[in-house]
Amino acid sequence: MSAKRSGLRRRILLGLLGYVVVLTIAVVMHGFIVNEHAESLVWQTLLDSEMDHLLELHERDPTFPWTNTESLAFYDGHIPEDMPPPLRGVPPGVYDEIMIDGVERVALVREVDGRPLALALDITDLEEREFDMGLTVIGSAVTLVGLLCIAIAWSVNRLVKPLRDMAQSIAALRPDQAGQRIVTPDTASAELVVIADALNDYLQRNDRFVERERVFIDSASHELRTPVAVIAGASEIALQQPHLPEPARGQLLRIQRTARGVEELVSLLLVLAKDPARLARSSDHVALDELIPGIVEDHRHLTRDKDLQLDIVGLRPCEIVAPLPIVQVAIGNLLRNAIEHSDRGRITIRLEAPATVIIEDPGHGMTPEEIAQIYARVARGGGRDGGGIGLDLISRLCEHLGWRLDFASDEGRGTTTTLRMAS
């Protein structure tokens, strides 16, 4: 079994959602990097201005006293112990988010006359506001992604709906109905119109092909009826002649059986050539419980050279509406197939509700490959006496009439054939 494939709607949706998520993360990261860079430039500019102002004051008045405040502190590194530990020995520059005396600060370190000077600004309140702003940005980004997901899902669903409707229309096509077409709405894209037109053109060509095949089969079947009837009638008259030698009688019986098989084939071909609706109108009421014993007796002669018994069990009253000759042909050929593939034992024919004929044979059974061939309509019937129309045509017959034909087999333990004629 092939792996389950995801739908186009799901693929487009996941692709767009992935793109939105990646784009959002990229924008947030870009904003974070730009914000950090801008913040560094602001601190650099601000602290440089304050440091220049302070140095200018010292140049004017070397005894100018500097008093630290809660927000701004100045450190002179001519005595290393006076410099805060996080700023000792560091090269000149701006250092953000450092802890000095338990307070988060940003500091500017500058080397003047061979000694380091530092100016530190308290940024505790600013960092708290920055954190709150970061949460706000993240929340807004998540909300935006959620809204975009809803909008994308709605848009993709609207975009894929015509394609999904077309796929459902294609899945609803019936192989036994003619004149089917795929209708595209006015809102369909140009690509969908091209696909629909190509498919409709194929359906038209297929309808013409099926019609030609049906006409040919119908004509050929009607043409075959006359010579087959002549052969069957002549053999029957010849068998009624007195003093007929046994070798000739055997050949005539073989001719009669072959003609009967050809008549069955012609009848089946005529059924396959008919439209199922017309076929339903020309069907008969068939009592299966009365028909099956006669079919079994007609095929009992095939067991003369074998150690086989034909047993009928569970014949309950059951009536269906179907062409009588076709019911006889279908059940008869399935029974013939069971006889031909069995050497000894008991073949059981059962009738179960609703309108289900079950034939169990003790033959050698079929391998899974052989059953697959039957389901693929490759296996051909036909016995040693030339009778039978083949499981291939029986399978086509069941499909045409809406019947169901199943095979179940344990290799070496026989085969169970189930024909369900109830729709």
Side-chain angles (χ1 to χ4, degrees), residues 235 239 244 246-260 304:
S235 62
L239 286 172
L244 185 66
E246 285 301 321
R249 181 178 297 275
Q251 295 299 324
L252 289 173
L253 288 173
R254 184 177 181 183
I255 292 173
Q256 192 177 50
R257 289 195 298 269
T258 303
R260 186 181 304 166
R304 286 180 303 188

Side-chain angles (χ1 to χ4, degrees), residues 185-248:
D186 297 335
T187 57
S189 62
E191 292 79 8
L192 284 182
V193 173
V194 171
I195 294 174
D197 290 343
L199 184 58
N200 287 333
D201 180 66
Y202 170 78
L203 291 174
Q204 290 179 354
R205 288 186 282 113
N206 184 71
D207 288 344
R208 290 194 296 267
F209 171 78
V210 172
E211 185 61 28
R212 287 196 303 268
E213 183 186 51
R214 180 172 296 170
V215 171
F216 171 77
I217 294 175
D218 191 25
S219 302
S221 301
H222 280 292
E223 292 296 330
L224 286 173
R225 275 190 162 184
T226 299
V228 171
V230 171
I231 295 173
S235 62
E236 185 176 354
I237 294 175
L239 286 172
Q240 295 176 358
Q241 300 300 318
H243 311 296
L244 185 66
E246 285 301 321

Side-chain angles (χ1 to χ4, degrees), residues 68-363:
N68 292 337
T69 63
E70 293 182 358
S71 59
L72 189 64
F74 176 74
Y75 302 98
D76 191 345
H78 69 282
I79 300 176
E81 289 75 10
D82 292 343
M83 188 70 70
L87 300 178
R88 292 175 186 173
V90 298
V94 176
Y95 299 92
D96 193 8
E97 299 179 1
I98 59 175
M99 299 299 295
I100 299 177
D101 298 330
V103 178
E104 188 174 6
R105 297 176 182 269
V106 58
L108 171 66
V109 178
R110 182 184 295 183
E111 189 171 343
V112 178
D113 298 332
R115 72 179 190 275
L117 300 178
L119 194 62
L121 177 66
D122 184 4
I123 58 172
T124 303
D125 294 339
L126 186 62
E127 288 296 324
E128 290 180 355
R129 294 180 182 179
E130 185 178 6
F131 179 76
D132 294 338
M133 183 178 295
L135 292 179
T136 303
V137 171
I138 294 176
S140 61
V142 172
T143 303
L144 179 62
V145 169
L147 294 176
L148 286 176
C149 289
I150 296 175
I152 290 173
W154 180 82
S155 301
V156 169
N157 187 66
R158 184 178 179 84
L159 179 65
V160 178
K161 185 178 184 301
L163 184 60
R164 184 172 63 248
D165 294 341
M166 176 178 287
Q168 293 174 352
S169 299
I170 295 174
L173 293 176
R174 296 279 303 276
D176 56 345
Q177 292 183 1
Q180 301 177 98
R181 297 294 179 269
I182 300 298
V183 180
T184 55
D186 297 335
T187 57
S189 62
E191 292 79 8
L192 284 182
V193 173
V194 171
I195 294 174
D197 290 343
L199 184 58
N200 287 333
D201 180 66
Y202 170 78
L203 291 174
Q204 290 179 354
R205 288 186 282 113
N206 184 71
D207 288 344
R208 290 194 296 267
F209 171 78
V210 172
E211 185 61 28
R212 287 196 303 268
E213 183 186 51
R214 180 172 296 170
V215 171
F216 171 77
I217 294 175
D218 191 25
S219 302
S221 301
H222 280 292
E223 292 296 330
L224 286 173
R225 275 190 162 184
T226 299
V228 171
V230 171
I231 295 173
S235 62
E236 185 176 354
I237 294 175
L239 286 172
Q240 295 176 358
Q241 300 300 318
H243 311 296
L244 185 66
E246 285 301 321
R249 181 178 297 275
Q251 295 299 324
L252 289 173
L253 288 173
R254 184 177 181 183
I255 292 173
Q256 192 177 50
R257 289 195 298 269
T258 303
R260 186 181 304 166
V262 175
E263 286 181 342
E264 293 177 353
L265 176 60
V266 171
S267 298
L268 177 58
L269 291 177
L270 286 173
V271 169
L272 292 176
K274 288 184 178 181
D275 185 75
R278 291 175 52 200
L279 187 63
R281 292 193 296 268
S282 61
S283 298
D284 309 310
H285 289 272
V286 180
L288 292 178
D289 55 308
E290 299 177 2
L291 181 65
I292 290 178
I295 296 176
V296 172
E297 291 302 321
D298 290 340
H299 289 77
R300 198 175 292 277
H301 69 278
L302 299 176
T303 64
R304 286 180 303 188
D305 298 331
K306 297 183 177 183
D307 185 17
L308 281 174
Q309 295 182 7
L310 302 181
D311 292 341
I312 303 174
V313 297
L315 283 184
R316 302 177 181 177
C318 180
E319 186 176 273
I320 62 171
V321 177
L324 175 60
I326 302 307
V327 177
Q328 293 174 323
V329 169
I331 299 177
N333 274 269
L334 293 177
L335 179 58
R336 187 195 305 272
N337 183 72
I339 294 173
E340 291 171 353
H341 290 85
S342 302
D343 297 325
R344 64 181 58 85
R346 185 187 304 271
I347 296 179
T348 303
I349 301 94
R350 299 201 314 271
L351 177 61
E352 296 182 353
T356 302
V357 178
I358 301 176
I359 301 176
E360 297 176 348
D361 67 71

